[in-house]
Amino acid sequence: MSKHYALVIDDERDIRELLTLTLGRMDLIVDTAATVSEARQRLGERRYALCFTDMRLPDGTGQEIIALIAAQYPETPVAMITAYGNVDAAVDALKAGAFDFVSKPVDINVLRRLVQTALKLSEEKRSEQTASSSKLIGDSAPMNQLRATIGKVARSQAPVYVAGESGTGKELVARLIHELGPRASAPFVPVNCGAIPSELMESEFFGHRKGSFTGAHADKDGLFHAAQGGTLFLDEVAELPMHMQVKLLRVIQEKAVRPIGARAEIGVDVRILSATHKNLARLVELGAFRQDLFYRINVIELRVPPLRERREDIPQLAGRMLERLAHDGGGDPARLAPEALQVLLGYDFPGNVRELENILERAVALCENNRIGVEDLRLQPREQGAAEAAETWANTPTPQAPSSIPSPPAESRAAPPVAALGDDAPLRGLPNDLAAAVAETERAAIMKALEATRWNRTAAARQLGLTLRQLRYRLEKLGIE
């Protein structure tokens, strides 16, 4: 049985000795620290199964320790040691990410129960990380090739661009790259670039200093700081507005960030992984994504295959999903009737693995006697016409990029061609009849989306997979009032 390590952070020697003695009797090896700086050093030296920290320390607070552990060592449960009756401190600790708290004077029985819970929590988190590679289900040739490629790129520190349709599992692939690489013990910080308001992006990514703008009541670290030493995963990177693309490019080049209101830059050591369901190369052609940033984040391209290209994995995927659904519901797994499985094997799955999971969850709720028939799947033919044309246009395939993309010519690096949204880049170089056909397809798709959303432009843009600015440009260009 492997030994578990615990870290006790308290500036009172008596408390450190009491906890060391008590935890030692529970077969834990205990390290101690009296300050925040000592705690940082200890945390960097080994992994701990649990941590206890006092609220007030000579050079900082326990809240700093909790925030540090939550960001960089999320597999380590941390408990706050609070003064007796200090409910506010306990609540603040829990909000900051502590899993529990213990009051002074320390009750030995309470401490033992807390330790047992913490060790169980720590084991569960590590088991989740160890099992993450098994979540990449399938023995088809595309999946075996994907696993082999992940193993290779994980050893590198080069930026990786994970390409793939919506629902294929791009974030899972990014997590595996992180967990199989040398940064596995450091944080993996995922961020959905499309979910952050444009006006808050700089603060979220780079942080800010107290008083730097209205509402900045305290210093705040950004996502780059949270990912220090680890991996920052930029999901839906195509949604970054142009001003953030420029700033992100500089951070990648200089390996430093400047928080809003700060006078100096702060060095960062972060590996960048990115992904989007959109065709990023096509967006570069359209002028909606900077070419120089594209080359920086796309040093290695890793394509996640859609489900329709690995249909032989569907039975295994479905079986695993039905087992999980049964475990969550507390019953026996449902079984697919042979004819239902044949229907799934013949379906195109525009939503990929995520859609398969949704279909099965619905079927489990509808089926009788734990047997899923064709009628329980409730698959509908895909809607044809303009909406499908819009999807095809938005995700127009381009020739497969090589796994390693060379640097662009010097003239491209010096002055990357970034077209304004108002020019005619999308149709330049096309024959007149093809340009007219593309324009007509765009018009039909946009009109259908506008009608479906009662001419709500924001909702229509979301439905089309465009930003509001891109939709406005196309409305003007196509003469749609």
mmCIF file of all heavy atoms in Angstrom, residues 302-350:
data_model
loop_
_atom_site.group_PDB
_atom_site.id
_atom_site.type_symbol
_atom_site.label_atom_id
_atom_site.label_comp_id
_atom_site.label_asym_id
_atom_site.label_seq_id
_atom_site.Cartn_x
_atom_site.Cartn_y
_atom_site.Cartn_z
ATOM 1 N N LEU A 302 -4.078 18.514 -35.191
ATOM 2 C CA LEU A 302 -4.568 17.190 -34.816
ATOM 3 C C LEU A 302 -6.053 17.128 -35.124
ATOM 4 O O LEU A 302 -6.850 17.839 -34.511
ATOM 5 C CB LEU A 302 -4.311 16.943 -33.325
ATOM 6 C CG LEU A 302 -4.627 15.558 -32.772
ATOM 7 C CD1 LEU A 302 -3.820 14.500 -33.517
ATOM 8 C CD2 LEU A 302 -4.304 15.512 -31.291
ATOM 9 N N ARG A 303 -6.425 16.295 -36.069
ATOM 10 C CA ARG A 303 -7.826 16.210 -36.490
ATOM 11 C C ARG A 303 -8.534 15.084 -35.745
ATOM 12 O O ARG A 303 -8.065 13.945 -35.720
ATOM 13 C CB ARG A 303 -7.916 15.968 -37.992
ATOM 14 C CG ARG A 303 -9.349 15.855 -38.526
ATOM 15 C CD ARG A 303 -9.356 15.682 -40.032
ATOM 16 N NE ARG A 303 -10.706 15.534 -40.550
ATOM 17 C CZ ARG A 303 -11.329 14.369 -40.692
ATOM 18 N NH1 ARG A 303 -10.700 13.247 -40.365
ATOM 19 N NH2 ARG A 303 -12.559 14.311 -41.162
ATOM 20 N N VAL A 304 -9.667 15.405 -35.133
ATOM 21 C CA VAL A 304 -10.495 14.407 -34.455
ATOM 22 C C VAL A 304 -11.564 13.949 -35.451
ATOM 23 O O VAL A 304 -12.357 14.775 -35.922
ATOM 24 C CB VAL A 304 -11.153 14.992 -33.192
ATOM 25 C CG1 VAL A 304 -11.925 13.901 -32.449
ATOM 26 C CG2 VAL A 304 -10.105 15.611 -32.278
ATOM 27 N N PRO A 305 -11.616 12.671 -35.793
ATOM 28 C CA PRO A 305 -12.542 12.227 -36.833
ATOM 29 C C PRO A 305 -13.992 12.297 -36.382
ATOM 30 O O PRO A 305 -14.305 12.036 -35.216
ATOM 31 C CB PRO A 305 -12.115 10.774 -37.083
ATOM 32 C CG PRO A 305 -11.501 10.337 -35.796
ATOM 33 C CD PRO A 305 -10.818 11.565 -35.251
ATOM 34 N N PRO A 306 -14.896 12.653 -37.289
ATOM 35 C CA PRO A 306 -16.331 12.614 -36.948
ATOM 36 C C PRO A 306 -16.793 11.170 -36.802
ATOM 37 O O PRO A 306 -16.141 10.231 -37.300
ATOM 38 C CB PRO A 306 -16.991 13.309 -38.144
ATOM 39 C CG PRO A 306 -16.031 13.115 -39.277
ATOM 40 C CD PRO A 306 -14.665 13.113 -38.666
ATOM 41 N N LEU A 307 -17.911 10.980 -36.152
ATOM 42 C CA LEU A 307 -18.395 9.637 -35.862
ATOM 43 C C LEU A 307 -18.722 8.855 -37.131
ATOM 44 O O LEU A 307 -18.550 7.634 -37.177
ATOM 45 C CB LEU A 307 -19.628 9.725 -34.952
ATOM 46 C CG LEU A 307 -20.131 8.415 -34.329
ATOM 47 C CD1 LEU A 307 -19.001 7.663 -33.633
ATOM 48 C CD2 LEU A 307 -21.264 8.698 -33.363
ATOM 49 N N ARG A 308 -19.162 9.545 -38.175
ATOM 50 C CA ARG A 308 -19.525 8.848 -39.411
ATOM 51 C C ARG A 308 -18.311 8.232 -40.105
ATOM 52 O O ARG A 308 -18.456 7.370 -40.978
ATOM 53 C CB ARG A 308 -20.242 9.795 -40.359
ATOM 54 C CG ARG A 308 -19.419 10.979 -40.810
ATOM 55 C CD ARG A 308 -20.197 11.904 -41.730
ATOM 56 N NE ARG A 308 -19.436 13.103 -42.036
ATOM 57 C CZ ARG A 308 -19.397 14.180 -41.263
ATOM 58 N NH1 ARG A 308 -20.113 14.211 -40.139
ATOM 59 N NH2 ARG A 308 -18.669 15.221 -41.602
ATOM 60 N N GLU A 309 -17.094 8.677 -39.721
ATOM 61 C CA GLU A 309 -15.878 8.100 -40.301
ATOM 62 C C GLU A 309 -15.352 6.936 -39.475
ATOM 63 O O GLU A 309 -14.339 6.329 -39.831
ATOM 64 C CB GLU A 309 -14.793 9.174 -40.428
ATOM 65 C CG GLU A 309 -15.104 10.232 -41.465
ATOM 66 C CD GLU A 309 -13.984 11.250 -41.599
ATOM 67 O OE1 GLU A 309 -12.900 11.044 -40.992
ATOM 68 O OE2 GLU A 309 -14.173 12.256 -42.314
ATOM 69 N N ARG A 310 -16.016 6.615 -38.395
ATOM 70 C CA ARG A 310 -15.602 5.474 -37.559
ATOM 71 C C ARG A 310 -16.841 4.757 -37.019
ATOM 72 O O ARG A 310 -16.990 4.536 -35.827
ATOM 73 C CB ARG A 310 -14.691 5.938 -36.428
ATOM 74 C CG ARG A 310 -15.232 7.047 -35.543
ATOM 75 C CD ARG A 310 -14.190 7.470 -34.527
ATOM 76 N NE ARG A 310 -14.703 8.364 -33.500
ATOM 77 C CZ ARG A 310 -14.974 7.994 -32.246
ATOM 78 N NH1 ARG A 310 -14.809 6.746 -31.866
ATOM 79 N NH2 ARG A 310 -15.406 8.877 -31.366
ATOM 80 N N ARG A 311 -17.728 4.401 -37.949
ATOM 81 C CA ARG A 311 -18.998 3.780 -37.573
ATOM 82 C C ARG A 311 -18.805 2.488 -36.789
ATOM 83 O O ARG A 311 -19.658 2.110 -35.975
ATOM 84 C CB ARG A 311 -19.836 3.505 -38.827
ATOM 85 C CG ARG A 311 -20.250 4.756 -39.579
ATOM 86 C CD ARG A 311 -21.094 4.405 -40.800
ATOM 87 N NE ARG A 311 -21.322 5.581 -41.648
ATOM 88 C CZ ARG A 311 -22.301 6.451 -41.463
ATOM 89 N NH1 ARG A 311 -23.142 6.280 -40.461
ATOM 90 N NH2 ARG A 311 -22.439 7.487 -42.270
ATOM 91 N N GLU A 312 -17.692 1.781 -37.035
ATOM 92 C CA GLU A 312 -17.467 0.517 -36.323
ATOM 93 C C GLU A 312 -17.300 0.717 -34.824
ATOM 94 O O GLU A 312 -17.373 -0.260 -34.055
ATOM 95 C CB GLU A 312 -16.248 -0.213 -36.897
ATOM 96 C CG GLU A 312 -14.950 0.563 -36.848
ATOM 97 C CD GLU A 312 -14.659 1.346 -38.118
ATOM 98 O OE1 GLU A 312 -15.577 2.030 -38.613
ATOM 99 O OE2 GLU A 312 -13.521 1.266 -38.594
ATOM 100 N N ASP A 313 -17.076 1.968 -34.382
ATOM 101 C CA ASP A 313 -16.957 2.248 -32.951
ATOM 102 C C ASP A 313 -18.307 2.480 -32.282
ATOM 103 O O ASP A 313 -18.379 2.540 -31.048
ATOM 104 C CB ASP A 313 -16.085 3.491 -32.723
ATOM 105 C CG ASP A 313 -14.638 3.274 -33.114
ATOM 106 O OD1 ASP A 313 -14.195 2.118 -33.040
ATOM 107 O OD2 ASP A 313 -13.969 4.250 -33.494
ATOM 108 N N ILE A 314 -19.370 2.615 -33.067
ATOM 109 C CA ILE A 314 -20.686 2.955 -32.498
ATOM 110 C C ILE A 314 -21.183 1.905 -31.504
ATOM 111 O O ILE A 314 -21.657 2.261 -30.419
ATOM 112 C CB ILE A 314 -21.713 3.199 -33.623
ATOM 113 C CG1 ILE A 314 -21.363 4.507 -34.367
ATOM 114 C CG2 ILE A 314 -23.135 3.267 -33.067
ATOM 115 C CD1 ILE A 314 -22.244 4.808 -35.562
ATOM 116 N N PRO A 315 -21.087 0.587 -31.787
ATOM 117 C CA PRO A 315 -21.561 -0.386 -30.790
ATOM 118 C C PRO A 315 -20.822 -0.264 -29.454
ATOM 119 O O PRO A 315 -21.444 -0.338 -28.390
ATOM 120 C CB PRO A 315 -21.280 -1.738 -31.463
ATOM 121 C CG PRO A 315 -21.306 -1.437 -32.930
ATOM 122 C CD PRO A 315 -20.705 -0.068 -33.062
ATOM 123 N N GLN A 316 -19.500 -0.085 -29.501
ATOM 124 C CA GLN A 316 -18.720 0.038 -28.267
ATOM 125 C C GLN A 316 -19.074 1.324 -27.524
ATOM 126 O O GLN A 316 -19.247 1.329 -26.305
ATOM 127 C CB GLN A 316 -17.224 0.008 -28.600
ATOM 128 C CG GLN A 316 -16.326 -0.041 -27.376
ATOM 129 C CD GLN A 316 -14.856 -0.114 -27.748
ATOM 130 O OE1 GLN A 316 -14.500 -0.224 -28.917
ATOM 131 N NE2 GLN A 316 -13.992 -0.046 -26.739
ATOM 132 N N LEU A 317 -19.191 2.429 -28.267
ATOM 133 C CA LEU A 317 -19.574 3.702 -27.658
ATOM 134 C C LEU A 317 -20.955 3.604 -27.017
ATOM 135 O O LEU A 317 -21.159 4.048 -25.880
ATOM 136 C CB LEU A 317 -19.573 4.805 -28.715
ATOM 137 C CG LEU A 317 -18.234 5.427 -29.080
ATOM 138 C CD1 LEU A 317 -18.355 6.202 -30.394
ATOM 139 C CD2 LEU A 317 -17.748 6.346 -27.976
ATOM 140 N N ALA A 318 -21.902 3.033 -27.759
ATOM 141 C CA ALA A 318 -23.270 2.923 -27.250
ATOM 142 C C ALA A 318 -23.310 2.056 -25.991
ATOM 143 O O ALA A 318 -23.988 2.391 -25.003
ATOM 144 C CB ALA A 318 -24.186 2.350 -28.325
ATOM 145 N N GLY A 319 -22.584 0.944 -26.004
ATOM 146 C CA GLY A 319 -22.566 0.076 -24.836
ATOM 147 C C GLY A 319 -22.017 0.776 -23.596
ATOM 148 O O GLY A 319 -22.572 0.665 -22.502
ATOM 149 N N ARG A 320 -20.913 1.542 -23.779
ATOM 150 C CA ARG A 320 -20.328 2.255 -22.651
ATOM 151 C C ARG A 320 -21.287 3.336 -22.129
ATOM 152 O O ARG A 320 -21.418 3.535 -20.921
ATOM 153 C CB ARG A 320 -19.005 2.885 -23.077
ATOM 154 C CG ARG A 320 -18.191 3.493 -21.941
ATOM 155 C CD ARG A 320 -17.580 2.412 -21.075
ATOM 156 N NE ARG A 320 -16.628 1.610 -21.808
ATOM 157 C CZ ARG A 320 -15.328 1.928 -21.931
ATOM 158 N NH1 ARG A 320 -14.862 3.017 -21.352
ATOM 159 N NH2 ARG A 320 -14.517 1.135 -22.585
ATOM 160 N N MET A 321 -21.954 4.020 -23.059
ATOM 161 C CA MET A 321 -22.889 5.074 -22.646
ATOM 162 C C MET A 321 -24.094 4.499 -21.912
ATOM 163 O O MET A 321 -24.557 5.071 -20.915
ATOM 164 C CB MET A 321 -23.351 5.860 -23.872
ATOM 165 C CG MET A 321 -22.280 6.724 -24.507
ATOM 166 S SD MET A 321 -22.838 7.469 -26.059
ATOM 167 C CE MET A 321 -21.361 8.364 -26.559
ATOM 168 N N LEU A 322 -24.596 3.371 -22.372
ATOM 169 C CA LEU A 322 -25.749 2.748 -21.704
ATOM 170 C C LEU A 322 -25.371 2.256 -20.307
ATOM 171 O O LEU A 322 -26.178 2.327 -19.375
ATOM 172 C CB LEU A 322 -26.286 1.598 -22.558
ATOM 173 C CG LEU A 322 -26.973 2.022 -23.861
ATOM 174 C CD1 LEU A 322 -27.306 0.806 -24.716
ATOM 175 C CD2 LEU A 322 -28.225 2.834 -23.580
ATOM 176 N N GLU A 323 -24.143 1.770 -20.142
ATOM 177 C CA GLU A 323 -23.685 1.364 -18.816
ATOM 178 C C GLU A 323 -23.615 2.563 -17.872
ATOM 179 O O GLU A 323 -23.998 2.470 -16.702
ATOM 180 C CB GLU A 323 -22.312 0.691 -18.922
ATOM 181 C CG GLU A 323 -22.347 -0.692 -19.556
ATOM 182 C CD GLU A 323 -20.955 -1.268 -19.731
ATOM 183 O OE1 GLU A 323 -19.975 -0.585 -19.323
ATOM 184 O OE2 GLU A 323 -20.832 -2.380 -20.284
ATOM 185 N N ARG A 324 -23.105 3.681 -18.387
ATOM 186 C CA ARG A 324 -23.013 4.881 -17.545
ATOM 187 C C ARG A 324 -24.387 5.388 -17.162
ATOM 188 O O ARG A 324 -24.626 5.775 -16.011
ATOM 189 C CB ARG A 324 -22.232 5.976 -18.274
ATOM 190 C CG ARG A 324 -22.016 7.229 -17.426
ATOM 191 C CD ARG A 324 -21.407 8.337 -18.223
ATOM 192 N NE ARG A 324 -22.223 8.722 -19.364
ATOM 193 C CZ ARG A 324 -23.326 9.461 -19.259
ATOM 194 N NH1 ARG A 324 -23.745 9.888 -18.078
ATOM 195 N NH2 ARG A 324 -24.009 9.775 -20.339
ATOM 196 N N LEU A 325 -25.323 5.384 -18.114
ATOM 197 C CA LEU A 325 -26.675 5.844 -17.831
ATOM 198 C C LEU A 325 -27.344 4.956 -16.783
ATOM 199 O O LEU A 325 -28.059 5.435 -15.903
ATOM 200 C CB LEU A 325 -27.503 5.859 -19.122
ATOM 201 C CG LEU A 325 -27.146 6.948 -20.139
ATOM 202 C CD1 LEU A 325 -27.849 6.687 -21.473
ATOM 203 C CD2 LEU A 325 -27.537 8.321 -19.610
ATOM 204 N N ALA A 326 -27.075 3.656 -16.864
ATOM 205 C CA ALA A 326 -27.641 2.732 -15.881
ATOM 206 C C ALA A 326 -27.034 2.981 -14.511
ATOM 207 O O ALA A 326 -27.731 2.952 -13.487
ATOM 208 C CB ALA A 326 -27.391 1.297 -16.323
ATOM 209 N N HIS A 327 -25.729 3.239 -14.469
ATOM 210 C CA HIS A 327 -25.064 3.512 -13.193
ATOM 211 C C HIS A 327 -25.634 4.769 -12.550
ATOM 212 O O HIS A 327 -25.891 4.816 -11.342
ATOM 213 C CB HIS A 327 -23.562 3.651 -13.419
ATOM 214 C CG HIS A 327 -22.786 3.942 -12.173
ATOM 215 N ND1 HIS A 327 -22.531 5.244 -11.747
ATOM 216 C CD2 HIS A 327 -22.225 3.126 -11.246
ATOM 217 C CE1 HIS A 327 -21.843 5.198 -10.621
ATOM 218 N NE2 HIS A 327 -21.637 3.932 -10.293
ATOM 219 N N ASP A 328 -25.842 5.812 -13.375
ATOM 220 C CA ASP A 328 -26.394 7.067 -12.849
ATOM 221 C C ASP A 328 -27.823 6.889 -12.364
ATOM 222 O O ASP A 328 -28.248 7.524 -11.396
ATOM 223 C CB ASP A 328 -26.348 8.160 -13.931
ATOM 224 C CG ASP A 328 -24.922 8.553 -14.281
ATOM 225 O OD1 ASP A 328 -23.998 8.220 -13.510
ATOM 226 O OD2 ASP A 328 -24.724 9.187 -15.341
ATOM 227 N N GLY A 329 -28.594 6.013 -13.060
ATOM 228 C CA GLY A 329 -29.994 5.829 -12.701
ATOM 229 C C GLY A 329 -30.226 4.748 -11.668
ATOM 230 O O GLY A 329 -31.343 4.582 -11.177
ATOM 231 N N GLY A 330 -29.176 3.971 -11.362
ATOM 232 C CA GLY A 330 -29.304 2.944 -10.344
ATOM 233 C C GLY A 330 -30.014 1.691 -10.800
ATOM 234 O O GLY A 330 -30.569 0.955 -9.982
ATOM 235 N N GLY A 331 -30.013 1.408 -12.106
ATOM 236 C CA GLY A 331 -30.677 0.204 -12.608
ATOM 237 C C GLY A 331 -29.768 -0.611 -13.489
ATOM 238 O O GLY A 331 -28.544 -0.423 -13.511
ATOM 239 N N ASP A 332 -30.349 -1.545 -14.235
ATOM 240 C CA ASP A 332 -29.596 -2.369 -15.172
ATOM 241 C C ASP A 332 -29.482 -1.655 -16.513
ATOM 242 O O ASP A 332 -30.390 -0.913 -16.912
ATOM 243 C CB ASP A 332 -30.293 -3.722 -15.375
ATOM 244 C CG ASP A 332 -30.322 -4.543 -14.095
ATOM 245 O OD1 ASP A 332 -29.346 -4.435 -13.320
ATOM 246 O OD2 ASP A 332 -31.322 -5.265 -13.874
ATOM 247 N N PRO A 333 -28.393 -1.881 -17.243
ATOM 248 C CA PRO A 333 -28.225 -1.221 -18.537
ATOM 249 C C PRO A 333 -29.293 -1.641 -19.544
ATOM 250 O O PRO A 333 -29.691 -2.815 -19.592
ATOM 251 C CB PRO A 333 -26.835 -1.683 -18.999
ATOM 252 C CG PRO A 333 -26.142 -2.167 -17.765
ATOM 253 C CD PRO A 333 -27.213 -2.701 -16.879
ATOM 254 N N ALA A 334 -29.769 -0.686 -20.317
ATOM 255 C CA ALA A 334 -30.694 -1.001 -21.409
ATOM 256 C C ALA A 334 -29.908 -1.667 -22.539
ATOM 257 O O ALA A 334 -28.690 -1.528 -22.632
ATOM 258 C CB ALA A 334 -31.377 0.269 -21.892
ATOM 259 N N ARG A 335 -30.620 -2.390 -23.385
ATOM 260 C CA ARG A 335 -29.988 -3.090 -24.503
ATOM 261 C C ARG A 335 -30.602 -2.620 -25.815
ATOM 262 O O ARG A 335 -31.807 -2.411 -25.914
ATOM 263 C CB ARG A 335 -30.172 -4.601 -24.356
ATOM 264 C CG ARG A 335 -29.410 -5.189 -23.167
ATOM 265 C CD ARG A 335 -27.907 -5.201 -23.427
ATOM 266 N NE ARG A 335 -27.164 -5.756 -22.298
ATOM 267 C CZ ARG A 335 -26.575 -5.030 -21.366
ATOM 268 N NH1 ARG A 335 -26.659 -3.697 -21.442
ATOM 269 N NH2 ARG A 335 -25.915 -5.604 -20.391
ATOM 270 N N LEU A 336 -29.736 -2.457 -26.807
ATOM 271 C CA LEU A 336 -30.203 -2.058 -28.130
ATOM 272 C C LEU A 336 -30.692 -3.269 -28.900
ATOM 273 O O LEU A 336 -29.984 -4.282 -28.998
ATOM 274 C CB LEU A 336 -29.066 -1.395 -28.915
ATOM 275 C CG LEU A 336 -28.741 0.061 -28.605
ATOM 276 C CD1 LEU A 336 -27.375 0.436 -29.186
ATOM 277 C CD2 LEU A 336 -29.813 0.988 -29.174
ATOM 278 N N ALA A 337 -31.897 -3.187 -29.451
ATOM 279 C CA ALA A 337 -32.372 -4.224 -30.352
ATOM 280 C C ALA A 337 -31.495 -4.217 -31.601
ATOM 281 O O ALA A 337 -30.977 -3.171 -32.001
ATOM 282 C CB ALA A 337 -33.831 -3.978 -30.727
ATOM 283 N N PRO A 338 -31.274 -5.388 -32.236
ATOM 284 C CA PRO A 338 -30.405 -5.446 -33.420
ATOM 285 C C PRO A 338 -30.808 -4.452 -34.501
ATOM 286 O O PRO A 338 -29.953 -3.808 -35.124
ATOM 287 C CB PRO A 338 -30.566 -6.890 -33.900
ATOM 288 C CG PRO A 338 -30.933 -7.654 -32.662
ATOM 289 C CD PRO A 338 -31.775 -6.711 -31.845
ATOM 290 N N GLU A 339 -32.116 -4.302 -34.714
ATOM 291 C CA GLU A 339 -32.563 -3.373 -35.761
ATOM 292 C C GLU A 339 -32.299 -1.924 -35.355
ATOM 293 O O GLU A 339 -32.027 -1.069 -36.216
ATOM 294 C CB GLU A 339 -34.047 -3.575 -36.077
ATOM 295 C CG GLU A 339 -34.994 -3.425 -34.881
ATOM 296 C CD GLU A 339 -35.196 -4.703 -34.093
ATOM 297 O OE1 GLU A 339 -34.347 -5.615 -34.217
ATOM 298 O OE2 GLU A 339 -36.208 -4.788 -33.365
ATOM 299 N N ALA A 340 -32.348 -1.626 -34.055
ATOM 300 C CA ALA A 340 -32.042 -0.271 -33.589
ATOM 301 C C ALA A 340 -30.560 0.037 -33.792
ATOM 302 O O ALA A 340 -30.187 1.145 -34.193
ATOM 303 C CB ALA A 340 -32.422 -0.111 -32.117
ATOM 304 N N LEU A 341 -29.712 -0.948 -33.515
ATOM 305 C CA LEU A 341 -28.276 -0.756 -33.740
ATOM 306 C C LEU A 341 -27.986 -0.531 -35.217
ATOM 307 O O LEU A 341 -27.145 0.310 -35.575
ATOM 308 C CB LEU A 341 -27.504 -1.981 -33.230
ATOM 309 C CG LEU A 341 -25.992 -1.934 -33.430
ATOM 310 C CD1 LEU A 341 -25.380 -0.712 -32.752
ATOM 311 C CD2 LEU A 341 -25.345 -3.210 -32.903
ATOM 312 N N GLN A 342 -28.693 -1.237 -36.089
ATOM 313 C CA GLN A 342 -28.486 -1.047 -37.528
ATOM 314 C C GLN A 342 -28.863 0.370 -37.960
ATOM 315 O O GLN A 342 -28.200 0.972 -38.809
ATOM 316 C CB GLN A 342 -29.305 -2.080 -38.313
ATOM 317 C CG GLN A 342 -28.730 -3.484 -38.258
ATOM 318 C CD GLN A 342 -27.300 -3.554 -38.763
ATOM 319 O OE1 GLN A 342 -26.978 -3.012 -39.824
ATOM 320 N NE2 GLN A 342 -26.445 -4.216 -38.000
ATOM 321 N N VAL A 343 -29.929 0.900 -37.351
ATOM 322 C CA VAL A 343 -30.324 2.276 -37.666
ATOM 323 C C VAL A 343 -29.234 3.253 -37.238
ATOM 324 O O VAL A 343 -28.888 4.185 -37.964
ATOM 325 C CB VAL A 343 -31.676 2.616 -36.994
ATOM 326 C CG1 VAL A 343 -31.956 4.111 -37.101
ATOM 327 C CG2 VAL A 343 -32.801 1.821 -37.633
ATOM 328 N N LEU A 344 -28.679 3.041 -36.052
ATOM 329 C CA LEU A 344 -27.603 3.923 -35.572
ATOM 330 C C LEU A 344 -26.380 3.826 -36.478
ATOM 331 O O LEU A 344 -25.727 4.833 -36.772
ATOM 332 C CB LEU A 344 -27.211 3.549 -34.140
ATOM 333 C CG LEU A 344 -28.217 3.880 -33.035
ATOM 334 C CD1 LEU A 344 -27.706 3.380 -31.688
ATOM 335 C CD2 LEU A 344 -28.486 5.380 -32.965
ATOM 336 N N LEU A 345 -26.078 2.614 -36.938
ATOM 337 C CA LEU A 345 -24.914 2.434 -37.810
ATOM 338 C C LEU A 345 -25.086 3.133 -39.145
ATOM 339 O O LEU A 345 -24.110 3.501 -39.803
ATOM 340 C CB LEU A 345 -24.650 0.935 -38.035
ATOM 341 C CG LEU A 345 -24.121 0.160 -36.819
ATOM 342 C CD1 LEU A 345 -24.131 -1.342 -37.098
ATOM 343 C CD2 LEU A 345 -22.714 0.630 -36.472
ATOM 344 N N GLY A 346 -26.344 3.342 -39.554
ATOM 345 C CA GLY A 346 -26.593 4.004 -40.834
ATOM 346 C C GLY A 346 -26.839 5.496 -40.730
ATOM 347 O O GLY A 346 -27.036 6.159 -41.743
ATOM 348 N N TYR A 347 -26.817 6.027 -39.504
ATOM 349 C CA TYR A 347 -27.101 7.450 -39.286
ATOM 350 C C TYR A 347 -25.817 8.257 -39.387
ATOM 351 O O TYR A 347 -24.733 7.785 -39.035
ATOM 352 C CB TYR A 347 -27.738 7.622 -37.907
ATOM 353 C CG TYR A 347 -28.201 9.019 -37.581
ATOM 354 C CD1 TYR A 347 -29.165 9.658 -38.360
ATOM 355 C CD2 TYR A 347 -27.689 9.688 -36.484
ATOM 356 C CE1 TYR A 347 -29.600 10.928 -38.041
ATOM 357 C CE2 TYR A 347 -28.121 10.967 -36.148
ATOM 358 C CZ TYR A 347 -29.074 11.587 -36.945
ATOM 359 O OH TYR A 347 -29.501 12.850 -36.624
ATOM 360 N N ASP A 348 -25.920 9.499 -39.882
ATOM 361 C CA ASP A 348 -24.723 10.318 -40.130
ATOM 362 C C ASP A 348 -24.189 11.053 -38.900
ATOM 363 O O ASP A 348 -23.056 11.513 -38.901
ATOM 364 C CB ASP A 348 -25.008 11.356 -41.228
ATOM 365 C CG ASP A 348 -24.829 10.766 -42.611
ATOM 366 O OD1 ASP A 348 -24.256 9.668 -42.712
ATOM 367 O OD2 ASP A 348 -25.271 11.392 -43.582
ATOM 368 N N PHE A 349 -25.002 11.222 -37.865
ATOM 369 C CA PHE A 349 -24.599 11.896 -36.624
ATOM 370 C C PHE A 349 -23.934 13.253 -36.866
ATOM 371 O O PHE A 349 -22.730 13.425 -36.644
ATOM 372 C CB PHE A 349 -23.651 11.012 -35.802
ATOM 373 C CG PHE A 349 -24.318 9.829 -35.193
ATOM 374 C CD1 PHE A 349 -24.174 8.567 -35.758
ATOM 375 C CD2 PHE A 349 -25.112 9.972 -34.075
ATOM 376 C CE1 PHE A 349 -24.811 7.475 -35.207
ATOM 377 C CE2 PHE A 349 -25.751 8.877 -33.518
ATOM 378 C CZ PHE A 349 -25.598 7.620 -34.088
ATOM 379 N N PRO A 350 -24.719 14.239 -37.313
ATOM 380 C CA PRO A 350 -24.145 15.587 -37.467
ATOM 381 C C PRO A 350 -23.622 16.154 -36.160
ATOM 382 O O PRO A 350 -22.732 17.000 -36.153
ATOM 383 C CB PRO A 350 -25.316 16.413 -38.012
ATOM 384 C CG PRO A 350 -26.549 15.635 -37.651
ATOM 385 C CD PRO A 350 -26.137 14.201 -37.708
#
